[in-house]
Amino acid sequence: MAKSEKKFEDKLSDLEEIVATLESGDVPLDESIKKYTEAMKLVKECDEELKTVEDKVNKIVSEDGNLKDFDVSEVK
Amino acid sequence: MSDKYLTISAITRYLKSRFDSDENLQTVFLKGEISNFKSHTSGHFYFSLKDENSKINAIMFRGSASKILFKPADGMKVLVTGRISVYEATGNYQIYVDEMLEDGIGNLYIAFEELKKKLSSEGLFDEAKKKKIPKIPKRVGIITAPTGAAVRDIITTIKRRFPSTETILFPTLVQGENAKESIANNIRKANEYDIDVLIVGRGGGSIEDLWAFNEEVVARAIYESSIPIISAVGHEVDFTIADFVADLRAPTPTAAAELAVPNVMDLKSHINNLVIRLNENIIKKVNYQKLYLDSIKNSFVIKNPMIMFDNKKQKLDLINSKINDLLIKNLDDKKERLNLLKKSYILMNPELIYKDKRNVIKNVIEKLELLNPLNVLARGYSITYLNDKSLKSINYVKKDDTVLIKVTDGNIKAKVLEIKEETHG
C-alpha cells in the first residue's frame, strides 16, 4: 500500500456517506453543490483505481522466506 | 389338540437354525460403541454394542479376546467381525466376535468433541473476538497445498473478481503427520508479511485427510493471528475446529476467495448507481430552487416595483401631513399658554411680588431682633461665663470659682460664695 492517500475502501465509504447526506434532504443549495463536486472527485478516483486492472503477479514464499513468482496455470 | 402347540425349546431351536443357515449372518462387520463391558475370569469378554438407536449383545471367547491390541472399555468406538446366532438358554441373539479393532474414526470424533468443548470454554470461538474481514484487501495470503484444485480455485477466483489483488502463497502440508505444524508455522510466518486477509484451508477429503485442521496447535495459531482469517476446509458439510476459530468460515476454497475479495464488476455498477443517485438529487435540488426563484420573480411586487414606491410615497405624504398638523397644534398650545400666563394676576400686578417679599423680610428681621442676645442683656439679663463657657447649671461650678458676668454695658468678674439648688421655670 505505497499510496499515502486514502485507501479505496475509505474513499468508497465517504462517497456513500455524501450520497446519503444529500438524499437526507435538508442540505442547503451551496453546501449540496460543494458536496456534489467532492463526490464526483471521489467517483473519478475510485474509477481510476478500478481501471488499473493490471494483473498483479501471484507470489509464492520460498524456503528462505523470499517471494518468488507463482504461475497458477502450472499447478498440477 | 395339544400337538399344534410347540415347546419353547422347539421354537428357539428353529429360530437358531434359521440364524445359522443365513449366510449373511456368518461373517458380519459391525461398528458400534462398547457398553456394560465385563471380562470374565474365564478370559471371555461379555459386552454389548450400541449406537444411538439400538443395542446388540456380544461375546468374545478367550481365544479371540487375547489377540486384541487394545484394552476395551465402555464408550469406546470399535469395529468387530463375527457370527450372529441365538443363545438358546436366554433366547437372545448375539454376535460371537472373532476380531475387534478400535474404530479410529469413532475415537477421532470423541477427541474432536472434547477439543471443541475445551477451546469453546476458553473463548476461542467467541463472536466478539472475531476480526472484521477487510472489504477490499490489497494483498491476500493463502495457506494451502501448492498443488491440487484448492490453490488453483482460490487464486483464479481472486484474479477473476479483483485482478489487482496481490496473492502470496505459503506452500503448506495439509495432510499427514506433519501437516498441523506446517499449517501453524505458516500462519505465524504470514503474520510477518504485510497481508490484509489470510485464506487457510484445503480441498475435500476424508475425516482423516482433514484432521490436521482439527488440531489444537492450528486452532491456537489461527486465534493468535492478527491478520483476519477465512477458513475453507473440505466441502460444505465438513466442519473443523479451524472453521470454528477462524474469523469467517467459507464452505469451500472458491467461496473463501469470493468472501475475501469483491467483484470489480459489482463495485463498478455500485459506483455508477451512486453517480445516478447523486445526479438525480442535485438536479432535483437545483430545479426546486429555480422554481422557488421563479415564483419570487413573478411575485407582484417584483413585477411592479414602482408600486412599492407608490405606497412608500403615499406613506411619506401621510407622515408629512401628520407632522405639520402636530407642529401647528403644538404652536397653538404654546401661544394659548402664553396668553394665559400674561393674563395671570401676578403678572398684571408685578408690585405684589415685591409686596409680599417685603413682608417676608420684615418678619424675619423681627424674629432676629428677639433672639439677639444683646437685646436680652438690654432688658436686664446677664450671661455668666466660666472659663469662657456659658454657665447653664450649678453642677458645672464650685465654691470660690471665679466667673465672668456679661451685662449690657460691660463685664463683671466675681467669686462664687455659695451654690444653692433652685429651679426656675
Side-chain angles (χ1 to χ4, degrees), chain B residues 386-417:
Chain B
L386 172 63
N387 307 331
D388 303 331
K389 267 175 75 237
S390 64
L391 189 56
K392 290 191 183 64
S393 142
I394 55 168
N395 305 335
Y396 294 122
V397 70
K398 37 192 199 325
K399 205 160 148 308
D400 298 330
D401 273 356
T402 56
V403 294
L404 177 71
I405 305 166
K406 212 167 169 77
V407 290
T408 181
D409 56 358
N411 302 338
I412 307 159
K413 203 174 203 188
K415 197 177 221 182
V416 173
L417 299 181

Side-chain angles (χ1 to χ4, degrees), chain A residues 7 9-10, chain B residues 127-137 196-198 226-230 246-248 259:
Chain A
K7 277 205 312 202
E9 230 162 310
D10 302 333
Chain B
E127 266 314 304
K129 299 250 177 51
K130 299 232 187 271
K131 291 182 276 302
K132 214 167 85 45
I133 307 293
K135 253 208 216 140
I136 305 162
D196 306 310
V197 68
L198 263 178
S226 57
I227 304 174
I229 289 183
I230 303 176
D247 299 302
L248 182 61
L259 290 170

Side-chain angles (χ1 to χ4, degrees), chain B residues 32-43:
Chain B
E33 185 182 310
I34 294 177
S35 64
N36 27 56
F37 178 86
K38 278 185 286 315
S39 91
H40 199 272
T41 48
S42 61

Side-chain angles (χ1 to χ4, degrees), chain B residues 59-79:
Chain B
I59 176 170
M60 198 169 189
F61 293 116
R62 191 180 53 243
S64 327
S66 56
K67 287 204 238 75
I68 305 180
L69 307 173
F70 65 99
K71 197 170 163 317
D74 283 355
M76 259 183 139
K77 295 270 166 51
V78 287
L79 304 171

Side-chain angles (χ1 to χ4, degrees), chain A residues 10-24:
Chain A
D10 302 333
K11 283 185 206 157
L12 189 57
S13 59
D14 291 353
L15 181 55
E16 284 157 350
E17 220 181 285
I18 292 178
V19 173
T21 5
L22 284 181
E23 281 173 346
S24 71

